[in-house]
Amino acid sequence: MTEKYIIKQLSIFSENKAGKLAAIAKIFLDTGVSIQAFNIAEANNFGVVRAIVDKPEVAFNEFAKQNYALQYTDVLAIKMKDVPGGLYEVANLLGGLGINIEYAYAFRSGEYGALIVKVTNPREAALKIVEAGIELLPAKDYNF
Amino acid sequence: MAYYNEKIETMPKGELAKLQYQELKKLVTRLYDSSAFYHKKMDETGVKPADITSITDITKLPFMKKTDLRDNYPDGLVCVPHDDLVRYHVSSGTTGKPTVVAYTQNDIDLWSECVARSLVSCGIGKKDVLQVCYGYGLFTGGLGLHYGGEKVGATVIPASTGNSERQIELIQDLKTTVIACTPSYFVHLIDVAKKMGVDFKKDTLLRTAILGAEPWTDAMRRYIYAESGVTAHNIFGTSEISGPMFTDCSELNGMHICGDIAYTEIIDPKTGEQLPPGEKGELTITVLKKEAIPMIRYRIGDITSIIEGDCACGRTSPRIDRLQGRVDDMLIIRGINVFPSAIEHALLKNPYLTSHFMIEVSRTGPLDDMLVKVELKPDAMTDSITGLMEMQMRTERALRDALNVSAKIELCPPNSLPRFEGKAKRVIDHRVI
Ligand SMILES: [Zn+2]
């Protein structure tokens, strides 16, 4: 029952070099894939581009065809109230549920905001979160 | 255990050293008297034949290089009357003039005996049918294997190179048991046979391959055995020392360099110092009994090491490891000799990396910095930054262990580094020295 909340995020290996991000963005453009949420994590000389898109398979196949190193990562999207303290409320609740966040990034869509979280066991976490009465956004809203 | 010349091949090491000394003394004395080139060279070094009192005194003698042959083109180094020559071979130089090598009848006989000993050490004998798919002609490969094969009494097929389908037909029709060719050509033959519907394991008697003339790896040996059931032996030699001469024995653990024929040294390519067994350096060979163009302390230009310990086959001559790249490719990083091939070897042990890499060397202040860029395998991708950094650090540790000098690793996306056709140019040296 928590399966619908599992969002397939694309994690793409990239060099920390000018132009590399543009090259990645161009592939999304060329394949007609629209980006819902986006984040870049950087290390010394490389980065991982994380993207939530409407057609992950289409994008994945094209990136793979162009020899990118990439993988799917299961993440959750927690709805946040668009008011001061919205993030605090969510973070606090997750802490209370004993859910450890590996990384998170926020984005806004329409009248609400959402927090994308990568947790160790997303299915188990989704169940706990829903049972605690926090609203999770279903995958279909992102990965059509 | 079969030997071609048991007495010499299993001679106790002390006795062998004495024999080597006697041969070297004779050779140096003859050269000092008959070779204007070597006489001058010895005088410049300040060494006389009388200074050679044991085989270890060989280090007093000057080196020879390929340029010595090239500078004395075509026959300036020949030190026997021309009537005594029975053959020339010519190698096409990659740069400039070719090099010419000349042989007396004794030279040909000795070369053939050397190949014969090597073939017997691979388990080859009278019962075998040897298909020689090295080029016949100016190149030494074809004729070298041919004469050695005849000497052990095998039936030799002088197939030479090319026409792969015909080669496979010959293997089937003439019941070839041994093939001699380059490793890449044999891998190609495996593919051609498959396309022809020929299974080497079931449809042929081919069981042994003598592969050389280009670098190859143990991984290729395993691949060849799995695909064709053929045990592949490595053969080494260059035209300057006669031609193909030395193979690994049935133990498949290094190539025996027949001690009565050639004296093997590994030297530091920078200082010329002799290195102990196990240490990597430049292979240097003295052919003790060559008549027409003797080569003393000839610097082959290939990197390898002498394998320590005795071989289970009973042969007492030293063994050398696979050739691991050329001296010209050697880098000196913080005073330590580093070979790109050693870097490649260390990288290939990591399942998450491809074999594509580049080396960048620079200098900040007094210290050299080495950066190794290597491509990540697409399926090794992880979403975790710490996971990727862990791969990077693990590779850095592996390189430091293998090279004794530290290098920074940079993980790169697949397909982002240059691809090379032919000889790879993997080193970019930014140092201004
Ligand atoms: Zn042996």
Side-chain angles (χ1 to χ4, degrees):
Chain A
M1 64 151 275
T2 53
E3 205 53 41
K4 64 180 176 191
Y5 298 121
I6 304 297
I7 295 169
K8 285 170 115 182
Q9 171 193 266
L10 299 179
S11 304
I12 307 159
F13 186 83
S14 169
E15 279 167 293
N16 268 355
K17 262 190 204 156
K20 294 295 166 191
L21 183 59
I24 288 172
K26 180 87 167 43
I27 292 175
F28 286 121
L29 175 69
D30 291 345
T31 48
V33 172
S34 107
I35 302 165
Q36 322 284 331
F38 190 82
N39 167 266
I40 305 171
E42 285 173 34
N44 315 333
N45 46 56
F46 60 83
V48 177
V49 171
R50 294 166 177 149
I52 291 169
V53 300
D54 59 350
K55 289 173 277 190
E57 278 88 8
V58 173
F60 190 100
N61 290 341
E62 185 55 28
F63 277 104
K65 213 172 97 192
Q66 297 199 25
N67 287 306
Y68 277 82
L70 80 162
Q71 63 150 210
Y72 289 122
T73 310
D74 292 341
V75 296
L76 303 172
I78 302 168
K79 192 169 173 179
M80 284 192 301
K81 284 191 203 108
D82 192 15
V83 293
L87 175 61
Y88 171 74
E89 190 187 24
V90 169
N92 214 19
L93 274 161
L94 290 179
L97 293 171
I99 296 169
N100 181 45
I101 300 175
E102 290 177 25
Y103 60 79
Y105 52 101
F107 78 104
R108 239 193 97 81
S109 162
E111 75 281 11
Y112 57 84
L115 190 69
I116 304 289
V117 291
K118 164 77 169 72
V119 296
T120 312
N121 189 336
R123 281 161 187 84
E124 199 177 285
L127 196 64
K128 281 189 192 170
I129 292 167
V130 173
E131 275 172 357
I134 307 169
E135 195 175 341
L136 277 178
L137 296 171
K140 70 173 172 55
D141 288 2
Y142 302 97
N143 308 151
F144 293 125
Chain B
M1 193 74 68
Y3 304 99
Y4 182 80
N5 189 337
E6 182 164 358
K7 183 172 177 290
I8 290 265
E9 289 179 71
T10 61
M11 183 179 267
K13 283 182 178 172
E15 249 177 78
L16 183 61
K18 222 163 92 192
L19 182 65
Q20 288 175 324
Y21 158 66
Q22 286 162 358
E23 293 296 342
L24 181 70
K25 181 92 176 177
K26 254 195 281 180
L27 178 68
V28 171
T29 309
R30 179 165 68 85
L31 273 186
Y32 195 71
D33 295 340
S34 64
S35 163
F37 166 82
Y38 211 73
H39 188 102
K40 184 165 165 258
K41 216 165 169 135
M42 281 176 70
D43 280 352
E44 279 166 7
T45 316
V47 58
K48 295 263 182 297
D51 296 330
I52 305 299
T53 58
S54 78
I55 187 65
T56 49
D57 283 337
I58 197 167
T59 54
K60 295 176 180 167
L61 294 168
F63 293 110
M64 288 178 79
K65 286 184 158 188
K66 199 181 182 80
T67 44
D68 292 328
L69 280 164
R70 213 172 278 154
D71 296 346
N72 292 283
Y73 178 88
D75 55 0
L77 294 190
V78 173
C79 57
V80 295
H82 271 62
D83 286 1
D84 291 346
L85 297 182
V86 298
R87 197 193 295 170
Y88 284 122
H89 276 287
V90 182
S91 74
S92 54
T94 41
T95 49
K97 271 188 228 161
T99 50
V100 172
V101 288
Y103 304 76
T104 64
Q105 188 56 53
N106 284 339
D107 289 340
I108 296 284
D109 291 346
L110 190 74
W111 177 21
S112 307
E113 158 138 11
C114 188
V115 177
R117 286 189 205 170
S118 295
L119 292 177
V120 170
S121 82
C122 300
I124 297 161
K126 274 180 76 68
K127 63 191 186 309
D128 282 293
V129 178
L130 167 65
Q131 188 163 328
V132 178
C133 312
Y134 283 117
Y136 279 69
L138 292 175
F139 173 61
T140 52
L143 287 173
L145 266 301
H146 187 107
Y147 276 60
E150 286 190 349
K151 204 148 191 146
V152 300
T155 314
V156 180
I157 309 170
S160 199
T161 52
N163 203 344
S164 307
E165 296 194 356
R166 180 104 183 89
Q167 300 276 10
I168 304 227
E169 284 166 18
L170 289 173
I171 291 171
Q172 285 191 286
D173 298 346
L174 300 180
K175 303 193 167 46
T176 301
T177 58
V178 185
I179 189 167
C181 60
T182 62
S184 56
Y185 189 63
F186 190 62
V187 168
H188 172 69
L189 283 183
I190 290 175
D191 288 344
V192 174
K194 268 186 206 157
K195 279 190 197 122
M196 291 167 70
V198 174
D199 182 343
F200 275 142
K201 291 182 200 171
K202 282 195 229 129
D203 305 332
T204 76
L205 297 179
L206 191 64
R207 296 297 172 263
T208 309
I210 309 293
L211 308 181
E214 62 188 30
W216 57 297
T217 61
D218 284 331
M220 240 160 125
R221 165 137 62 203
R222 288 190 291 273
Y223 170 82
I224 287 169
Y225 187 76
E227 293 296 313
S228 66
V230 167
T231 300
H233 290 259
N234 202 358
I235 187 163
F236 163 76
T238 70
S239 64
E240 296 84 0
I241 62 167
S242 288
M245 293 173 96
F246 311 110
T247 63
D248 36 25
C249 61
S250 46
E251 299 297 317
L252 296 179
N253 186 18
M255 295 173 278
H256 284 280
I257 310 283
C258 309
D260 60 312
I261 294 175
Y263 185 75
T264 313
E265 294 174 85
I266 301 294
I267 60 158
D268 183 322
K270 205 177 134 210
T271 63
E273 293 285 319
Q274 209 182 69
L275 297 172
E279 271 189 48
K280 266 183 211 150
E282 181 173 3
L283 178 60
T284 302
I285 285 182
T286 301
V287 189
L288 294 164
K289 288 190 204 174
K290 217 158 168 288
E291 290 180 342
I293 305 182
M295 298 304 278
I296 292 190
R297 305 194 84 196
Y298 179 62
R299 295 176 65 155
I300 307 268
D302 288 302
I303 298 301
T304 185
S305 56
I306 291 177
I307 296 175
E308 289 173 278
D310 299 328
C311 187
C313 78
R315 288 175 182 79
T316 47
S317 54
R319 287 167 296 155
I320 55 164
D321 208 346
R322 280 181 187 285
L323 305 185
Q324 291 159 24
R326 299 284 301 167
V327 170
D328 316 334
D329 299 334
M330 186 182 84
L331 287 163
I332 300 169
I333 307 291
R334 276 169 247 156
I336 291 172
N337 299 345
V338 173
F339 301 104
S341 54
I343 294 179
E344 179 167 15
H345 193 72
L347 293 177
L348 280 173
K349 284 187 183 157
N350 297 289
Y352 45 87
L353 301 175
T354 72
S355 58
H356 300 287
F357 69 100
M358 289 292 290
I359 302 161
E360 281 184 35
V361 187
S362 56
R363 178 168 287 175
T364 35
L367 282 184
D368 298 321
D369 289 318
M370 181 163 57
L371 173 69
V372 178
K373 295 181 169 182
V374 58
E375 287 180 10
L376 187 68
K377 265 191 196 155
D379 57 11
M381 175 59 185
T382 163
D383 173 59
S384 158
I385 289 278
T386 45
L388 290 165
M389 286 177 71
E390 172 59 29
M391 287 181 203
Q392 201 166 300
M393 282 181 321
R394 218 185 314 160
T395 315
E396 280 174 1
R397 275 198 300 273
L399 273 191
R400 198 173 51 233
D401 290 348
L403 308 177
N404 291 319
V405 63
S406 62
K408 255 204 198 102
I409 285 285
E410 190 174 308
L411 291 181
C412 298
N415 235 20
S416 63
L417 296 175
R419 298 296 192 264
F420 301 96
E421 274 176 33
K423 196 171 158 39
K425 279 206 165 73
R426 299 197 193 279
V427 180
I428 302 171
D429 201 332
H430 297 294
R431 289 176 295 187
V432 183
I433 299 169

